[in-house]
Amino acid sequence: MGRVIVLGSINVDLETRIDAYPQPGEKVVAHSLHRYAGGKGANQAVAARAQGVEVLMVGAVGDDDAGRASLNRLHPMGIKLYVERIPHVPTGHALIFSDGRTNAIAVLPGANAKIGPRPLDQVKGLGPGDVLLTQLETPAERVAQAARHAHERGARVIVNAAPYVELPDDVCAMADPLILRADDEDAFAARRVEPISLLVLRGAAGLDWDGRRFSGEVVPAEDVVDTVGASDALIGTLAAQLAKGADRPTAARLALQKAADNVRHAGAQRSPRL
């Protein structure tokens, strides 16, 4: 069984529940405010760890209460932390507005934008069987360097490029899979770059992996509590299953089930309050 090495963001999510999104210049009344553990990197690391694989989290937090709270949550889960503490910079935060079915998010990168060069140098023994999982809430140049580093050593590289940000052609080409949202598909296709495999997230319709559709459970509207982090649950589970050696149908089926489970509770992670 290989390891999952996650290079990604560690955030604190401040989520408020509203009935309708405000228009420019409009004020709406919110019903609640909650403080949750978040960040695509941390969310995916937690989801991968829940599958029983060894998980290493590479990232950065501020030298502040939010950073300490985030690390104190991840460490007891058995996630190995290779996390820089950046002085005089806040831990990343996300401001989330949610009506229960959809969400709108503003991200303050904070320390996530300050990850040092060559972030995987401290990870020993990286090689075949391991999976590098990265997203784009950390600087693109760090993602590119880490992907090349892992690929050169025979590790599998998964790049979560949703929402879409352009990466160098060689980084996209080594991704297995490169993960996009459906509304990013055309923009990527125009580049004429072929990753090892391409996975497109299609929301309630499931996902396409190199053109093959995998469908998951359709969660009734009355059972949906919060859609924040559903794709992270899917991607973290997928990475863990691939590290275990699962085939595509098995990995996709379990990943879609975890995404469905995730919308049934508040916050991106289960029991996520900080």
Side-chain angles (χ1 to χ4, degrees), residues 9 11-16 18 21-22 36-40 43 92-109 112 137 162-163 181 226-232 262 267-268:
S9 56
N11 287 342
V12 173
D13 291 350
L14 300 176
E15 182 173 352
T16 186
I18 54 179
Y21 296 106
Y36 295 134
K40 283 184 174 294
N43 294 343
H93 279 70
L95 308 178
I96 302 170
F97 294 89
S98 175
D99 65 2
R101 291 194 59 80
T102 61
N103 56 73
I105 305 174
V107 175
L108 170 69
N112 296 308
E137 288 186 339
R181 298 186 308 196
D226 192 349
T227 58
V228 174
S231 64
D232 293 334
N262 204 78

Short mmCIF file of all heavy atoms in Angstrom, two decimals, residues 9 11-16 18 21-22 36-40 43 92-109 112 137 162-163 181 226-232 262 267-268:
data_model
loop_
_atom_site.label_atom_id
_atom_site.label_comp_id
_atom_site.label_asym_id
_atom_site.label_seq_id
_atom_site.Cartn_x
_atom_site.Cartn_y
_atom_site.Cartn_z
N SER A 9 -3.61 23.37 0.79
CA SER A 9 -4.00 24.44 1.70
C SER A 9 -4.55 23.91 3.01
O SER A 9 -5.16 22.84 3.08
CB SER A 9 -5.06 25.32 1.04
OG SER A 9 -6.17 24.53 0.64
N ASN A 11 -6.91 25.73 5.87
CA ASN A 11 -7.69 26.94 6.12
C ASN A 11 -8.59 26.79 7.34
O ASN A 11 -8.86 25.67 7.80
CB ASN A 11 -8.61 27.26 4.93
CG ASN A 11 -7.86 27.80 3.72
OD1 ASN A 11 -6.73 28.25 3.84
ND2 ASN A 11 -8.50 27.74 2.57
N VAL A 12 -9.07 27.91 7.80
CA VAL A 12 -10.20 27.96 8.71
C VAL A 12 -11.38 28.48 7.89
O VAL A 12 -11.28 29.52 7.23
CB VAL A 12 -9.92 28.88 9.91
CG1 VAL A 12 -11.18 29.04 10.76
CG2 VAL A 12 -8.78 28.32 10.74
N ASP A 13 -12.49 27.75 7.91
CA ASP A 13 -13.69 28.15 7.19
C ASP A 13 -14.65 28.88 8.13
O ASP A 13 -15.00 28.34 9.19
CB ASP A 13 -14.41 26.93 6.61
CG ASP A 13 -13.65 26.27 5.47
OD1 ASP A 13 -12.66 26.86 5.00
OD2 ASP A 13 -14.06 25.16 5.08
N LEU A 14 -15.05 30.06 7.75
CA LEU A 14 -16.10 30.79 8.46
C LEU A 14 -17.34 30.74 7.58
O LEU A 14 -17.39 31.37 6.52
CB LEU A 14 -15.67 32.24 8.72
CG LEU A 14 -14.40 32.41 9.56
CD1 LEU A 14 -14.03 33.88 9.68
CD2 LEU A 14 -14.58 31.80 10.95
N GLU A 15 -18.31 29.95 8.00
CA GLU A 15 -19.48 29.69 7.16
C GLU A 15 -20.74 30.29 7.77
O GLU A 15 -21.03 30.10 8.96
CB GLU A 15 -19.67 28.18 6.97
CG GLU A 15 -20.84 27.86 6.06
CD GLU A 15 -20.94 26.38 5.72
OE1 GLU A 15 -20.01 25.63 6.07
OE2 GLU A 15 -21.94 25.97 5.10
N THR A 16 -21.49 30.99 6.93
CA THR A 16 -22.76 31.57 7.37
C THR A 16 -23.87 31.05 6.46
O THR A 16 -23.68 30.88 5.25
CB THR A 16 -22.71 33.11 7.36
OG1 THR A 16 -23.91 33.62 7.91
CG2 THR A 16 -22.51 33.67 5.96
N ILE A 18 -27.52 31.43 4.74
CA ILE A 18 -28.44 32.46 4.27
C ILE A 18 -29.54 31.81 3.46
O ILE A 18 -29.41 30.67 3.00
CB ILE A 18 -27.70 33.51 3.41
CG1 ILE A 18 -26.95 32.83 2.27
CG2 ILE A 18 -26.77 34.37 4.26
CD1 ILE A 18 -26.21 33.76 1.34
N TYR A 21 -28.62 34.68 -1.82
CA TYR A 21 -27.37 35.43 -1.92
C TYR A 21 -27.66 36.92 -2.15
O TYR A 21 -28.54 37.27 -2.94
CB TYR A 21 -26.51 34.89 -3.05
CG TYR A 21 -26.06 33.47 -2.81
CD1 TYR A 21 -26.62 32.41 -3.51
CD2 TYR A 21 -25.07 33.20 -1.87
CE1 TYR A 21 -26.21 31.11 -3.27
CE2 TYR A 21 -24.66 31.90 -1.63
CZ TYR A 21 -25.23 30.86 -2.33
OH TYR A 21 -24.84 29.58 -2.09
N PRO A 22 -26.92 37.80 -1.49
CA PRO A 22 -27.15 39.23 -1.68
C PRO A 22 -26.69 39.69 -3.05
O PRO A 22 -25.70 39.20 -3.59
CB PRO A 22 -26.30 39.87 -0.57
CG PRO A 22 -25.24 38.87 -0.29
CD PRO A 22 -25.86 37.52 -0.50
N TYR A 36 -15.14 26.28 11.02
CA TYR A 36 -14.84 24.90 10.70
C TYR A 36 -13.39 24.75 10.22
O TYR A 36 -12.78 25.69 9.71
CB TYR A 36 -15.74 24.40 9.55
CG TYR A 36 -17.20 24.32 9.86
CD1 TYR A 36 -18.15 24.83 8.96
CD2 TYR A 36 -17.67 23.72 11.03
CE1 TYR A 36 -19.51 24.73 9.22
CE2 TYR A 36 -19.03 23.62 11.29
CZ TYR A 36 -19.95 24.13 10.38
OH TYR A 36 -21.28 24.04 10.64
N ALA A 37 -12.86 23.54 10.35
CA ALA A 37 -11.59 23.19 9.72
C ALA A 37 -11.82 23.07 8.22
O ALA A 37 -12.83 22.53 7.77
CB ALA A 37 -11.09 21.86 10.27
N GLY A 38 -10.88 23.61 7.42
CA GLY A 38 -11.07 23.57 5.98
C GLY A 38 -9.76 23.67 5.23
O GLY A 38 -8.68 23.40 5.75
N GLY A 39 -9.88 24.10 3.98
CA GLY A 39 -8.77 24.11 3.03
C GLY A 39 -8.81 22.85 2.19
O GLY A 39 -8.95 21.74 2.73
N LYS A 40 -8.72 23.00 0.87
CA LYS A 40 -8.81 21.82 0.02
C LYS A 40 -7.77 20.76 0.38
O LYS A 40 -8.06 19.57 0.38
CB LYS A 40 -8.65 22.24 -1.45
CG LYS A 40 -9.88 22.87 -2.08
CD LYS A 40 -9.64 23.16 -3.55
CE LYS A 40 -10.91 23.65 -4.22
NZ LYS A 40 -11.97 22.63 -4.26
N ASN A 43 -8.80 19.15 3.76
CA ASN A 43 -10.02 18.36 3.56
C ASN A 43 -9.70 17.03 2.87
O ASN A 43 -10.18 15.96 3.27
CB ASN A 43 -11.02 19.13 2.69
CG ASN A 43 -11.56 20.37 3.35
OD1 ASN A 43 -11.46 20.56 4.56
ND2 ASN A 43 -12.15 21.24 2.55
N GLY A 92 -4.55 30.68 6.45
CA GLY A 92 -5.56 30.89 5.43
C GLY A 92 -6.98 30.78 5.98
O GLY A 92 -7.24 30.01 6.91
N HIS A 93 -7.87 31.57 5.43
CA HIS A 93 -9.28 31.55 5.81
C HIS A 93 -10.14 31.51 4.56
O HIS A 93 -9.74 32.01 3.50
CB HIS A 93 -9.65 32.79 6.62
CG HIS A 93 -9.28 32.70 8.07
ND1 HIS A 93 -7.97 32.73 8.52
CD2 HIS A 93 -10.06 32.59 9.19
CE1 HIS A 93 -7.95 32.65 9.84
NE2 HIS A 93 -9.21 32.55 10.26
N ALA A 94 -11.31 30.92 4.69
CA ALA A 94 -12.32 30.97 3.63
C ALA A 94 -13.61 31.51 4.23
O ALA A 94 -14.04 31.08 5.31
CB ALA A 94 -12.55 29.58 3.05
N LEU A 95 -14.21 32.47 3.56
CA LEU A 95 -15.49 33.04 3.96
C LEU A 95 -16.55 32.42 3.06
O LEU A 95 -16.54 32.60 1.84
CB LEU A 95 -15.47 34.56 3.81
CG LEU A 95 -14.29 35.28 4.48
CD1 LEU A 95 -14.36 36.78 4.21
CD2 LEU A 95 -14.27 34.99 5.97
N ILE A 96 -17.47 31.67 3.67
CA ILE A 96 -18.40 30.85 2.90
C ILE A 96 -19.83 31.30 3.17
O ILE A 96 -20.27 31.37 4.32
CB ILE A 96 -18.26 29.36 3.29
CG1 ILE A 96 -16.82 28.90 3.05
CG2 ILE A 96 -19.24 28.50 2.49
CD1 ILE A 96 -16.51 27.53 3.62
N PHE A 97 -20.55 31.58 2.10
CA PHE A 97 -21.99 31.82 2.17
C PHE A 97 -22.68 30.59 1.59
O PHE A 97 -22.34 30.15 0.49
CB PHE A 97 -22.38 33.06 1.37
CG PHE A 97 -21.82 34.34 1.92
CD1 PHE A 97 -20.58 34.80 1.53
CD2 PHE A 97 -22.54 35.08 2.85
CE1 PHE A 97 -20.05 35.97 2.04
CE2 PHE A 97 -22.03 36.25 3.38
CZ PHE A 97 -20.79 36.70 2.98
N SER A 98 -23.63 30.04 2.31
CA SER A 98 -24.28 28.82 1.87
C SER A 98 -25.79 28.90 2.08
O SER A 98 -26.26 29.38 3.12
CB SER A 98 -23.73 27.60 2.64
OG SER A 98 -24.44 26.43 2.31
N ASP A 99 -26.54 28.44 1.07
CA ASP A 99 -27.99 28.31 1.24
C ASP A 99 -28.38 26.86 1.46
O ASP A 99 -29.55 26.49 1.41
CB ASP A 99 -28.73 28.89 0.03
CG ASP A 99 -28.45 28.13 -1.26
OD1 ASP A 99 -27.72 27.11 -1.22
OD2 ASP A 99 -28.98 28.54 -2.32
N GLY A 100 -27.39 26.02 1.72
CA GLY A 100 -27.64 24.60 1.99
C GLY A 100 -27.43 23.72 0.78
O GLY A 100 -27.00 22.57 0.92
N ARG A 101 -27.71 24.23 -0.41
CA ARG A 101 -27.52 23.43 -1.63
C ARG A 101 -26.35 23.93 -2.47
O ARG A 101 -25.71 23.16 -3.16
CB ARG A 101 -28.80 23.45 -2.47
CG ARG A 101 -29.95 22.69 -1.82
CD ARG A 101 -31.08 22.44 -2.81
NE ARG A 101 -30.62 21.67 -3.96
CZ ARG A 101 -30.46 20.35 -3.97
NH1 ARG A 101 -30.70 19.64 -2.87
NH2 ARG A 101 -30.05 19.73 -5.05
N THR A 102 -26.08 25.23 -2.43
CA THR A 102 -24.95 25.80 -3.15
C THR A 102 -24.17 26.68 -2.20
O THR A 102 -24.63 26.99 -1.09
CB THR A 102 -25.41 26.62 -4.37
OG1 THR A 102 -26.22 27.71 -3.91
CG2 THR A 102 -26.22 25.75 -5.33
N ASN A 103 -23.00 27.12 -2.64
CA ASN A 103 -22.21 27.99 -1.79
C ASN A 103 -21.40 28.97 -2.64
O ASN A 103 -21.14 28.72 -3.82
CB ASN A 103 -21.29 27.19 -0.87
CG ASN A 103 -20.37 26.25 -1.63
OD1 ASN A 103 -19.42 26.67 -2.27
ND2 ASN A 103 -20.66 24.95 -1.56
N ALA A 104 -21.03 30.08 -2.04
CA ALA A 104 -20.15 31.07 -2.65
C ALA A 104 -19.01 31.31 -1.66
O ALA A 104 -19.26 31.51 -0.47
CB ALA A 104 -20.90 32.37 -2.95
N ILE A 105 -17.79 31.29 -2.14
CA ILE A 105 -16.63 31.28 -1.25
C ILE A 105 -15.62 32.34 -1.67
O ILE A 105 -15.29 32.47 -2.85
CB ILE A 105 -15.95 29.89 -1.27
CG1 ILE A 105 -16.96 28.79 -0.92
CG2 ILE A 105 -14.77 29.85 -0.31
CD1 ILE A 105 -16.40 27.38 -1.06
N ALA A 106 -15.12 33.08 -0.68
CA ALA A 106 -13.99 33.98 -0.87
C ALA A 106 -12.84 33.45 -0.02
O ALA A 106 -13.02 33.23 1.18
CB ALA A 106 -14.35 35.41 -0.47
N VAL A 107 -11.68 33.25 -0.63
CA VAL A 107 -10.54 32.64 0.06
C VAL A 107 -9.45 33.68 0.29
O VAL A 107 -9.05 34.40 -0.62
CB VAL A 107 -9.97 31.46 -0.74
CG1 VAL A 107 -8.71 30.91 -0.07
CG2 VAL A 107 -11.01 30.35 -0.89
N LEU A 108 -8.99 33.76 1.54
CA LEU A 108 -7.81 34.54 1.90
C LEU A 108 -6.65 33.54 2.01
O LEU A 108 -6.61 32.75 2.96
CB LEU A 108 -8.01 35.25 3.23
CG LEU A 108 -6.77 35.91 3.84
CD1 LEU A 108 -6.33 37.10 3.03
CD2 LEU A 108 -7.01 36.31 5.30
N PRO A 109 -5.71 33.52 1.06
CA PRO A 109 -4.67 32.48 1.07
C PRO A 109 -3.79 32.50 2.31
O PRO A 109 -3.42 31.44 2.83
CB PRO A 109 -3.86 32.78 -0.19
CG PRO A 109 -4.79 33.52 -1.07
CD PRO A 109 -5.65 34.35 -0.15
N ASN A 112 -0.83 29.93 3.12
CA ASN A 112 -0.80 28.98 1.99
C ASN A 112 0.00 29.53 0.82
O ASN A 112 0.56 28.76 0.04
CB ASN A 112 -2.22 28.67 1.53
CG ASN A 112 -3.04 27.96 2.58
OD1 ASN A 112 -2.61 26.96 3.14
ND2 ASN A 112 -4.22 28.49 2.88
N GLU A 137 -4.81 25.84 -4.36
CA GLU A 137 -4.93 26.88 -3.33
C GLU A 137 -3.56 27.19 -2.73
O GLU A 137 -3.46 27.89 -1.74
CB GLU A 137 -5.92 26.45 -2.24
CG GLU A 137 -7.35 26.48 -2.72
CD GLU A 137 -8.36 26.21 -1.61
OE1 GLU A 137 -8.00 25.63 -0.57
OE2 GLU A 137 -9.54 26.57 -1.81
N ALA A 162 -9.51 22.13 -10.22
CA ALA A 162 -10.83 22.75 -10.16
C ALA A 162 -10.95 23.56 -8.88
O ALA A 162 -10.77 22.99 -7.80
CB ALA A 162 -11.92 21.66 -10.19
N PRO A 163 -11.21 24.87 -8.96
CA PRO A 163 -11.43 25.65 -10.18
C PRO A 163 -10.15 25.80 -10.99
O PRO A 163 -9.05 25.80 -10.46
CB PRO A 163 -11.93 26.99 -9.66
CG PRO A 163 -11.39 27.09 -8.28
CD PRO A 163 -11.37 25.69 -7.74
N ARG A 181 -13.56 20.59 -13.27
CA ARG A 181 -15.00 20.72 -13.23
C ARG A 181 -15.54 20.75 -14.65
O ARG A 181 -14.82 21.10 -15.59
CB ARG A 181 -15.42 22.00 -12.50
CG ARG A 181 -14.99 22.05 -11.06
CD ARG A 181 -15.56 23.26 -10.35
NE ARG A 181 -15.31 24.53 -11.05
CZ ARG A 181 -15.43 25.71 -10.49
NH1 ARG A 181 -15.83 25.81 -9.22
NH2 ARG A 181 -15.18 26.82 -11.18
N ASP A 226 -25.16 20.49 3.65
CA ASP A 226 -24.09 21.42 3.28
C ASP A 226 -23.29 20.80 2.14
O ASP A 226 -22.83 19.66 2.25
CB ASP A 226 -23.19 21.67 4.49
CG ASP A 226 -22.22 22.83 4.32
OD1 ASP A 226 -22.09 23.33 3.19
OD2 ASP A 226 -21.59 23.21 5.31
N THR A 227 -23.11 21.54 1.05
CA THR A 227 -22.36 21.02 -0.09
C THR A 227 -20.88 21.35 -0.04
O THR A 227 -20.11 20.88 -0.88
CB THR A 227 -22.94 21.58 -1.41
OG1 THR A 227 -22.87 23.01 -1.38
CG2 THR A 227 -24.37 21.13 -1.60
N VAL A 228 -20.45 22.15 0.95
CA VAL A 228 -19.04 22.54 1.06
C VAL A 228 -18.18 21.30 1.29
O VAL A 228 -18.44 20.51 2.19
CB VAL A 228 -18.82 23.56 2.19
CG1 VAL A 228 -17.33 23.83 2.39
CG2 VAL A 228 -19.56 24.85 1.89
N GLY A 229 -17.16 21.12 0.47
CA GLY A 229 -16.20 20.04 0.69
C GLY A 229 -16.58 18.70 0.10
O GLY A 229 -15.82 17.73 0.24
N ALA A 230 -17.71 18.61 -0.60
CA ALA A 230 -18.11 17.32 -1.16
C ALA A 230 -17.09 16.82 -2.18
O ALA A 230 -16.72 15.64 -2.19
CB ALA A 230 -19.50 17.42 -1.80
N SER A 231 -16.61 17.73 -3.06
CA SER A 231 -15.62 17.30 -4.04
C SER A 231 -14.30 16.93 -3.37
O SER A 231 -13.58 16.04 -3.86
CB SER A 231 -15.41 18.39 -5.09
OG SER A 231 -14.87 19.56 -4.51
N ASP A 232 -13.97 17.58 -2.26
CA ASP A 232 -12.74 17.22 -1.54
C ASP A 232 -12.84 15.82 -0.95
O ASP A 232 -11.87 15.05 -0.96
CB ASP A 232 -12.44 18.23 -0.43
CG ASP A 232 -12.09 19.60 -0.97
OD1 ASP A 232 -11.60 19.68 -2.11
OD2 ASP A 232 -12.31 20.60 -0.26
N ASN A 262 -20.87 13.25 2.46
CA ASN A 262 -20.36 14.52 2.95
C ASN A 262 -21.42 15.62 2.96
O ASN A 262 -21.39 16.51 3.81
CB ASN A 262 -19.16 14.96 2.12
CG ASN A 262 -18.24 15.90 2.86
OD1 ASN A 262 -17.45 15.46 3.69
ND2 ASN A 262 -18.34 17.19 2.59
N GLY A 267 -20.13 21.50 7.22
CA GLY A 267 -18.69 21.64 7.16
C GLY A 267 -18.06 20.68 6.17
O GLY A 267 -18.65 19.67 5.78
N ALA A 268 -16.84 21.03 5.73
CA ALA A 268 -16.15 20.23 4.75
C ALA A 268 -15.67 18.88 5.30
O ALA A 268 -15.53 17.91 4.58
CB ALA A 268 -14.97 21.00 4.18
#
